[in-house]
Amino acid sequence: MWTQKELRLTARARGFHLITDEILRQLPELSKYKIGLLNILIKHTSASLTINENADPTVRKDFESFFNRAVPEDEHYYLHNDEGSDVRVIYIA
């Protein structure tokens, strides 16, 4: 048995966001499965997905601090700007 479904996530500003509850709300059929594999594809050129245990809320703050320094907004050398200057990063716990 398998399920394939397209989900739409709420738009968010640049940052690291928990989306587990939003995904679970949109996939109530997951309760039918005892074991399985979930594949998630984000169809956005400047979004990313990380999977972490979310045991410590400071992890997201550490990610945010690192990426704000490593990938600052609005640099003159960025070629891709179709979605605007902010880059959204999605986080699943």
Side-chain angles (χ1 to χ4, degrees):
M1 185 164 90
W2 63 277
T3 299
Q4 180 175 338
K5 191 171 185 180
E6 185 169 320
L7 310 177
R8 293 196 177 262
L9 298 175
T10 302
R12 293 173 173 86
R14 175 185 170 117
F16 288 77
H17 305 281
L18 299 175
I19 60 170
T20 304
D21 290 341
E22 187 171 356
I23 289 173
L24 291 175
R25 274 192 304 277
Q26 294 187 51
L27 291 172
E29 56 273 21
L30 283 180
S31 62
K32 298 177 194 174
Y33 299 95
K34 292 183 181 181
I35 190 168
L37 178 67
L38 177 65
N39 292 304
I40 298 175
L41 167 68
I42 296 181
K43 296 195 271 184
H44 191 292
T45 55
S46 56
S48 300
L49 176 68
T50 66
I51 300 174
N52 301 85
E53 65 182 347
N54 195 32
D56 182 348
T58 62
V59 171
R60 281 192 298 147
K61 291 178 183 176
D62 288 344
F63 280 154
E64 183 82 31
S65 296
F66 173 80
F67 276 92
N68 281 339
R69 276 188 238 115
V71 189
E73 288 189 59
D74 300 321
E75 289 296 331
H76 68 282
Y77 49 81
Y78 291 157
L79 300 177
H80 175 77
N81 62 6
D82 290 348
E83 290 90 15
S85 65
D86 67 332
V87 176
R88 290 169 177 74
V89 179
I90 304 298
Y91 173 91
I92 295 182

